[in-house]
Amino acid sequence: MPGDKVSAVLPFVKELMLHVSRPVRWDSDHVTIMDDPTQDLFFEIVRAGALDRVHYGLDFFDGSINRIGAYVIGSRSAQKCMLRALLEPRDIISKYELAGEGYKVLALVEEQKAMPWQAVYDEFCVRNNVPVGQDFIKDIDKYVADVTSKR
């Protein structure tokens, strides 16, 4: 479901369950990535104040890449999209919208695009003892060598 449909559906349903996937034209390569539609979806969920009402599952199927890698890439991409949405100054934006000060809304939305959200995500990773940046690649390779290659 595209992000712009979430706010249209939420007034009519108690909860919403979504399957977040990267659409393609064949039955492969569905790994969730941090693209504009996925980012828009998470912004819409947060803007609607529906974190407790929207549940989402991610798709990790890609017949051409390592499944552990697909899982990690998809999870991290969804986390980054959610983080960026949560960092938006929603309360201030709502105040400006209600006051009819559209240029201020646009200014804040545009300024947020340049904010160093990746530093916040890196700190999240550090605090949760998971690899920062591309360091997860070597961990996946180690897991494949130590675990999955022995099956």
Side-chain angles (χ1 to χ4, degrees):
M1 170 180 288
D4 61 348
K5 305 295 188 265
V6 171
S7 58
V9 171
L10 282 172
F12 304 101
V13 298
K14 183 176 177 181
E15 294 181 83
L16 186 60
M17 296 185 71
L18 302 176
H19 173 207
V20 181
S21 179
R22 181 168 41 115
V24 292
R25 291 183 174 36
W26 56 89
D27 193 25
S28 184
D29 306 328
H30 294 280
V31 179
T32 302
I33 61 172
M34 193 177 169
D35 58 359
D36 289 341
T38 306
Q39 186 63 74
D40 292 344
L41 171 67
F42 283 94
F43 268 112
E44 193 63 27
I45 293 167
V46 171
R47 287 172 181 160
L51 288 171
D52 60 336
R53 297 177 50 211
V54 177
H55 313 280
Y56 61 91
L58 305 175
D59 199 334
F60 302 111
F61 177 75
D62 185 323
S64 67
I65 65 174
N66 176 288
R67 289 179 188 227
I68 305 297
Y71 174 80
V72 172
I73 291 166
S75 297
R76 290 170 72 100
S77 295
Q79 287 177 331
K80 289 175 183 181
C81 287
M82 180 62 79
L83 173 67
R84 287 191 66 205
L86 289 169
L87 291 174
E88 184 176 70
R90 188 169 59 106
D91 293 341
I92 297 169
I93 288 172
S94 293
K95 176 183 142 194
Y96 289 153
E97 284 177 335
L98 292 172
E101 299 182 283
Y103 90 90
K104 291 180 181 178
V105 172
L106 184 58
L108 287 178
V109 169
E110 287 302 302
E111 284 302 309
Q112 190 214 17
K113 292 176 183 176
M115 289 182 178
W117 63 268
Q118 184 65 45
V120 178
Y121 185 74
D122 289 349
E123 180 62 22
F124 169 78
C125 290
V126 168
R127 290 183 185 197
N128 288 282
N129 198 30
V130 296
V132 174
Q134 62 192 10
D135 288 347
F136 71 89
I137 294 171
K138 65 183 174 195
D139 288 355
I140 292 170
D141 288 343
K142 182 174 177 359
Y143 182 81
V144 168
D146 294 348
V147 179
T148 60
S149 66
K150 297 177 181 172
R151 292 183 184 164

